[in-house]
């Protein structure tokens, strides 16, 4: 049943080459558009955790984290499409568990995340000269998978509870804005005001971005990154459990 759900996700994605191109190359596009401009503004580099590095190298992990969140948004929004054409209710009658349904949906999209991340890392290194710790590539890819899954399960909770797609879009815009700018995605948290630094440290997007930044560039301490990685894994597990419970008991209105 998991493979069947994965195959359906594959067929949906391959119906639009534009959608596939967006998924595969938007992260490197963000890195080129924003990274190059800001990198020129900070010619002396950017300092974080006592290390001076180019803004492109700093922003790379933020782009990867942003891409995981974006795929999670697209996948969770698919629940509204399934509701509108009636297939969602048909899925609920199939001989599979709710967990299998959720895992099938996210596994294919995790494969997409892996592919787009490899493209971003290779082109970022080749085009922008970002120095990466290639020996940690497996940790980077594992972080991409866990990040995509964690945000998908988290957003699924709200996608299933919010009956109107316009309300869900409003929720996404507000949540994404708050999570992005109260995180370490665009700038180091070292020099932030105490209230914003506290909000950043409590933000799962910061945990994910910091773990990816440590794996790609080695910036940060192993102890703090390990704590953030464990916290994000707990966030993923709790989100999966809540999403499964919500799918079990919530029917779209």
């Amino acid at each position: 049943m998991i493979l069947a759900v994965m195959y359906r996700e594959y067929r949906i994605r391959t119906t639009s080459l534009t959608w596939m191109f967006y998924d595969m190359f938007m992260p490197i596009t963000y890195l080129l558009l924003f990274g190059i401009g800001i990198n020129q503004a900070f010619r002396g580099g950017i300092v974080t955790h006592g290390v001076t590095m180019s803004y492109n190298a700093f922003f790379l992990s933020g782009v990867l984290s942003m891409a995981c969140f974006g795929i999670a948004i697209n996948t969770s929004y698919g629940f509204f499409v399934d509701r509108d054409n009636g297939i969602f209710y048909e899925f609920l009658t199939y001989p599979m568990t709710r967990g299998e349904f959720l895992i099938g949906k996210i596994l294919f999209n995790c494969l997409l995340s892996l592919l787009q991340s490899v493209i971003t890392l290779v082109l970022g290194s080749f085009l922008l000269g970002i120095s990466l710790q290639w020996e940690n590539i497996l940790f980077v890819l594992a972080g991409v998978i866990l990040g995509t899954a964690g945000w998908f399960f988290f957003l699924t909770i709200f996608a299933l509870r919010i009956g109107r797609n316009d309300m869900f879009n409003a929720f996404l815009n507000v949540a994404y804005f708050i999570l992005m700018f109260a995180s370490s995605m665009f700038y180091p948290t070292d020099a932030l005001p105490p209230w914003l630094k506290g909000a950043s440290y409590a933000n799962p997007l910061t945990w994910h971005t910091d773990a990816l930044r440590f794996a790609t560039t080695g910036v940060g301490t192993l102890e703090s990154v390990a704590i953030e990685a464990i916290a994000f894994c707990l966030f993923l597990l709790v989100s999966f459990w809540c999403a499964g419970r919500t799918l079990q008991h919530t029917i779209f209105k």
Side-chain angles (χ1 to χ4, degrees):
M1 297 308 296
I2 291 176
L3 291 176
V5 177
M6 290 179 65
Y7 179 69
R8 178 176 182 267
E9 292 293 311
Y10 162 77
R11 292 301 298 268
I12 291 173
R13 290 285 180 166
T14 53
T15 57
S16 173
L17 294 179
T18 303
W19 197 2
M20 288 293 293
F21 179 85
Y22 179 87
D23 283 335
M24 293 300 99
F25 292 98
M26 278 310 293
I28 188 63
T29 303
Y30 280 127
L31 188 60
L32 291 173
L33 292 178
F34 293 99
I36 291 179
I38 300 179
N39 193 69
Q40 291 299 312
F42 292 93
R43 290 181 179 273
I46 191 167
V47 180
T48 177
H49 296 284
V51 177
T52 301
M53 59 195 306
S54 69
Y55 188 80
N56 285 330
F58 175 85
F59 189 44
L60 175 62
S61 57
V63 167
L64 295 176
S65 185
M66 186 191 308
C68 293
F69 198 97
I71 283 187
I73 288 176
N74 292 337
T75 309
S76 61
Y77 191 81
F79 285 112
F80 288 92
V81 178
D82 289 344
R83 179 206 60 185
D84 292 340
N85 60 32
I87 193 66
F88 173 78
Y89 302 103
E90 185 175 339
F91 271 126
L92 297 181
T93 67
Y94 289 173
M96 64 178 173
T97 66
R98 303 300 187 258
E100 288 174 336
F101 179 52
L102 291 175
I103 291 173
K105 286 184 73 68
I106 194 54
L107 276 181
F108 175 77
N109 289 281
C110 282
L111 294 177
L112 280 182
S113 290
L114 285 179
L115 183 56
Q116 71 171 198
S117 297
V118 170
I119 292 173
T120 304
L121 291 169
V122 172
L123 293 182
S125 177
F126 178 74
L127 296 177
L128 301 177
I130 299 175
S131 179
L132 300 174
Q133 296 187 329
W134 291 105
E135 65 274 15
N136 293 333
I137 188 65
L138 292 181
F139 293 103
V140 176
L141 298 181
V144 166
I145 291 175
L146 294 176
T148 305
W151 287 116
F152 166 69
F153 295 137
F154 175 76
L155 294 175
T156 292
I157 300 170
F158 297 93
L160 294 174
R161 290 186 177 274
I162 299 174
R164 293 170 46 185
N165 54 11
D166 59 335
M167 292 295 295
F168 184 61
N169 280 327
F171 164 77
L172 286 178
N173 290 329
V174 174
Y176 199 22
F177 178 83
I178 294 175
L179 289 171
M180 277 200 308
F181 290 101
S183 74
S184 60
M185 182 181 291
F186 294 104
Y187 37 71
T189 56
D190 308 39
L192 292 179
W195 66 271
L196 187 54
K197 183 183 295 187
S200 177
Y201 286 148
N203 185 351
L205 198 57
T206 293
W207 310 338
H208 187 221
T209 304
D210 285 351
L212 290 175
R213 185 166 291 132
F214 180 79
T216 53
T217 63
V219 171
T221 63
L222 180 60
E223 294 79 8
S224 62
V225 169
I227 293 173
E228 289 179 304
I230 292 172
F232 191 88
C233 288
L234 292 175
F235 166 76
L236 186 157
L237 293 175
V238 171
S239 296
F240 175 70
W241 183 83
C242 291
R245 293 281 296 178
T246 303
L247 184 59
Q248 186 75 34
H249 299 292
T250 301
I251 299 295
F252 280 114
K253 298 180 181 180

